Amino acid sequence: MPQTMPNRRDAVTRFRAMLSEEGIRPALEFLNGISVHRFTAVFMFDGGTLRNLHLIDREDRSVERCPDLPVLDSYCLYVRDTARQFMTEHALKDARVDGHPKQKVVQSYCGYPLQDMRGELIGTICHFDYAPVPFDEQEVYLLEQVGPLLAEAISEMEQSPSVNRSA
């Protein structure tokens, strides 16, 4: 069950603090904990491949990632193609996803684009579920607010020099 949803400002403030102090995964776990959806994930676009950076599964905390997959096999495709948020609350009743490979599996999805410092689309942050679960206004708002914070953290992580562990 999701935790009690803090007010918008408090949720964004807490996400920002957790991201800064504890890192990406704990911040995503917090976000997942206040979502009504089972999964929260960050995916990165790599040509035609969708690479999973983090996957939070409320029902199985041991899950950290899912296998890479073709972008065309994910609802992240719609975010990539428009560089805008994409949401479906009941895929089987949503004509926009008719014939999509995930239509019968992932019933609800809300993805928000992640952009790097140059404004280029690099990936998505999303909530999704196997069941048709409606998105409330607050969940969508939080994805919009934390997306830029998350993109900045990912960009910083990718640009930080690697530690030479063999020395």
Side-chain angles (χ1 to χ4, degrees):
M1 283 309 277
Q3 303 167 11
T4 302
M5 178 76 81
N7 73 47
R8 290 176 177 194
R9 187 176 349 175
D10 289 347
V12 173
T13 299
R14 185 157 175 208
F15 182 90
R16 180 182 285 119
M18 291 184 82
L19 187 61
S20 174
E21 296 165 15
E22 301 176 45
I24 293 172
R25 188 164 186 86
L28 292 172
E29 287 172 343
F30 163 71
L31 196 62
N32 179 261
I34 60 175
S35 168
V36 296
H37 292 80
R38 177 176 170 179
F39 300 99
T40 301
V42 175
F43 291 98
M44 307 304 290
F45 297 119
D46 184 6
T49 301
L50 192 61
R51 305 215 184 273
N52 181 237
L53 187 61
H54 291 283
L55 176 65
I56 311 297
D57 178 348
R58 181 177 300 123
E59 294 180 15
D60 185 353
R61 292 295 187 191
S62 69
V63 172
E64 293 188 8
R65 290 186 179 83
C66 65
D68 295 345
L69 68 151
V71 174
L72 298 176
D73 289 353
S74 168
Y75 292 136
C76 295
L77 161 75
Y78 301 108
V79 176
R80 185 199 66 181
D81 288 354
T82 63
R84 298 182 62 170
Q85 172 189 299
F86 178 79
M87 179 172 41
T88 182
E89 293 182 338
H90 197 312
L92 291 176
K93 295 182 177 182
D94 189 339
R96 298 174 302 159
V97 297
D98 278 350
H100 189 280
K102 296 290 186 200
Q103 186 179 22
K104 293 180 181 175
V105 179
V106 176
Q107 290 302 297
S108 56
Y109 168 93
C110 183
Y112 187 81
L114 299 177
Q115 298 176 319
D116 66 14
M117 301 300 190
R118 297 179 313 266
E120 293 186 32
L121 187 64
I122 59 171
T124 67
I125 178 172
C126 56
H127 291 307
F128 59 97
D129 206 303
Y130 298 139
V133 180
F135 285 91
D136 71 21
E137 194 177 301
Q138 178 126 330
E139 255 186 309
V140 175
Y141 171 84
L142 289 175
L143 286 179
E144 292 170 354
Q145 296 302 304
V146 304
L149 302 172
L150 187 58
E152 182 178 351
I154 291 167
S155 293
E156 288 173 4
M157 179 182 73
E158 290 177 347
Q159 293 188 9
S160 67
S162 299
V163 175
N164 185 349
R165 298 189 192 281
S166 63

